[in-house]
Amino acid sequence: MTYILEVCVDSVQSAVAAQKGGADRVELCSALVIGGLSPSVAMFRQVKENTDLKIRVLLRPRFGDFCYDEYEFRTLKDEVKQFRELGADGVVIGILRPDGTLNMEQMEELVKAAGDMGITMHRSFDVCRDAYQALEQCVSLGIDTILTSGQKRTAWEGRRLISELVKRGGGRIDILAGAGIGPDVIDQLAEYTGVRSFHMSGKKVLESRMEFRREGVPMGIPGFSEFEIWQTDEEQVRKAVEILREKLE
């Protein structure tokens, strides 16, 4: 196989849909609506029991920036060890300093804790100060993948930087294009950038099964309906897989 399609999921049902659609692996998280947070152990176990997919676990202790205090860092380190022991195929991590550079000391500790698991530098890369410096630092740390939108809102908008990262990476590290990835853009992005790994959520919005609805009582971020469920669409994943097979195999 000459490509990887990773689907970002925050539920067991989404992971099952990703497998049915033909995904190669999942990035497992919770709270995808706010960019993803660390998932529970129970959900990880359920995904492992109900799919045969490779699982990389996103580790992010909270919403917001990627500059963490000592409590948050120790939480991340414990989670890396925990999911390694549970049999995760990889972790998805990233820590920045206040000046926008990678926190190399903390990243080195997390990489060491990961052992022989795969490691993806998550989209903290997209808000770092110097993408090319960060690329070389990731290589030096032994990180095998960088998830990036090319430091833009979508991967298509960031295609020039993604293309350059692929060239500069020179096969030393995998560039995983993410943000705005779907069947409508995946072939053009592959052709323009030379990237061979793609990250998508393929989400659809489902109506809640609730018949009784207490309106006007928000449980989280204002503006988000409590009666909409975001879930991976098997068909979107399948269409993306078909395009990649035709284009890249």
Side-chain angles (χ1 to χ4, degrees):
M1 183 175 290
T2 59
Y3 69 86
I4 294 172
L5 182 64
E6 175 183 272
V7 178
C8 185
V9 302
D10 63 356
S11 70
V12 181
Q13 185 59 51
S14 286
V16 170
Q19 175 162 292
K20 288 180 177 178
D24 299 296
R25 73 176 182 231
V26 291
E27 178 196 84
L28 182 63
C29 65
S30 65
L32 187 52
V33 70
I34 56 172
L37 301 176
S38 301
S40 70
V41 166
M43 181 162 62
F44 173 83
R45 285 176 171 152
Q46 282 288 310
V47 171
K48 201 162 179 63
E49 288 176 13
N50 287 280
T51 74
D52 300 317
L53 292 167
K54 292 185 180 299
I55 306 171
R56 291 205 175 190
V57 181
L58 172 69
L59 300 180
R60 186 181 176 211
R62 57 160 170 77
F63 173 74
D65 65 36
F66 302 100
C67 184
Y68 299 123
D69 63 30
E70 280 302 310
Y71 302 113
E72 292 165 332
F73 172 66
R74 287 201 293 270
T75 298
L76 282 169
K77 192 172 177 180
D78 284 349
E79 287 180 327
V80 170
K81 294 176 181 177
Q82 182 179 49
F83 283 106
R84 184 190 68 199
E85 291 168 0
L86 288 167
D89 296 286
V91 288
V92 185
I93 56 175
I95 306 178
L96 300 180
R97 293 186 179 282
D99 66 359
T101 60
L102 266 63
N103 188 320
M104 292 294 285
E105 291 77 16
Q106 290 186 340
M107 289 292 289
E108 282 174 1
E109 288 194 48
L110 295 188
V111 169
K112 184 177 180 180
D116 60 357
M117 284 194 294
I119 304 173
T120 299
M121 172 75 179
H122 61 43
R123 289 191 64 210
S124 53
F125 181 88
D126 283 327
V127 291
C128 75
R129 178 181 292 273
D130 186 325
Y132 301 132
Q133 179 190 50
L135 168 71
E136 295 302 329
Q137 289 175 322
C138 285
V139 171
S140 72
L141 285 166
I143 291 170
D144 61 57
T145 303
I146 294 173
L147 171 60
T148 179
S149 63
Q151 298 196 328
K152 298 291 185 180
R153 187 178 62 88
T154 68
W156 181 248
E157 292 173 15
R159 61 191 181 278
R160 291 181 178 83
L161 178 56
I162 292 174
S163 178
E164 187 61 29
L165 291 170
V166 171
K167 292 174 185 174
R168 294 198 185 200
R172 297 174 297 158
I173 193 166
D174 191 30
I175 304 301
L176 176 64
I181 301 294
D184 57 331
V185 73
I186 204 164
D187 55 343
Q188 299 102 303
L189 190 64
E191 185 172 352
Y192 187 96
T193 64
V195 77
R196 291 294 180 268
S197 297
F198 305 87
H199 170 99
M200 66 182 286
S201 64
K203 64 179 176 291
K204 60 182 177 181
V205 180
L206 303 176
E207 273 290 304
S208 166
R209 292 176 294 170
M210 288 295 297
E211 296 175 3
F212 173 76
R213 301 189 176 192
R214 176 78 67 190
E215 301 286 355
V217 188
M219 298 293 169
I221 300 174
F224 284 91
S225 171
E226 307 297 337
F227 303 106
E228 291 181 351
I229 310 298
W230 290 23
Q231 198 167 287
T232 297
D233 183 357
E234 177 185 335
E235 280 306 309
Q236 285 194 51
V237 177
R238 182 174 290 111
K239 288 177 183 176
V241 167
E242 289 171 356
I243 292 168
L244 289 173
R245 283 177 177 166
E246 181 180 337
K247 186 83 175 178
L248 301 179
E249 284 192 340

